[in-house]
Amino acid sequence: MPRHLARGAVGFGSLIAAFALVPVFGPATLLLAPVGVVALRGCPMCWAIGLAETVSRGRLRRQCANGSCELTSAGGRSGGGNGIS
């Protein structure tokens, strides 16, 4: 988890700095953009989805029976029974 958050800080920080610092330091700051993209491993949305998966790992389970699936918590409570598959 700390590694994932550190990647996000470096990635988003580099992307924001790349564009925010252009008026101060010129177009050379755009060289920070590839650093941000590499840190986020391609796209910010993929990083955010990975964070959500990392946080929920082990807390939710999918149980399928009789053609319908539902999410349940690790404690056994139902996740709403809305047929999420």
Side-chain angles (χ1 to χ4, degrees), residues 6 9 11 13 17-18 24 27-28 30 34 38-39 41 43-45 50-51 56 58-59 64 74-75 77 80 85:
V24 179
L30 293 176
V38 168
R41 293 186 183 163
C43 71
M45 183 58 72
L51 177 64
S56 70
R59 294 185 185 172
C64 299
R77 291 185 340 203
S85 57

Side-chain angles (χ1 to χ4, degrees), residues 4 22 31:
H4 196 86
V22 168
L31 294 174

Side-chain angles (χ1 to χ4, degrees), residues 11-83:
F12 285 113
S14 295
L15 287 175
I16 291 168
F19 295 102
L21 296 176
V22 168
V24 179
F25 296 106
T29 60
L30 293 176
L31 294 174
L32 289 173
V35 173
V37 171
V38 168
L40 295 174
R41 293 186 183 163
C43 71
M45 183 58 72
C46 299
W47 177 87
I49 291 171
L51 177 64
E53 289 175 348
T54 301
V55 168
S56 70
R57 185 177 297 151
R59 294 185 185 172
L60 295 175
R61 292 193 181 126
R62 184 182 320 168
Q63 293 183 345
C64 299
N66 299 325
S68 69
C69 297
E70 66 177 21
L71 290 177
T72 57
S73 67
R77 291 185 340 203
S78 175
N82 52 5

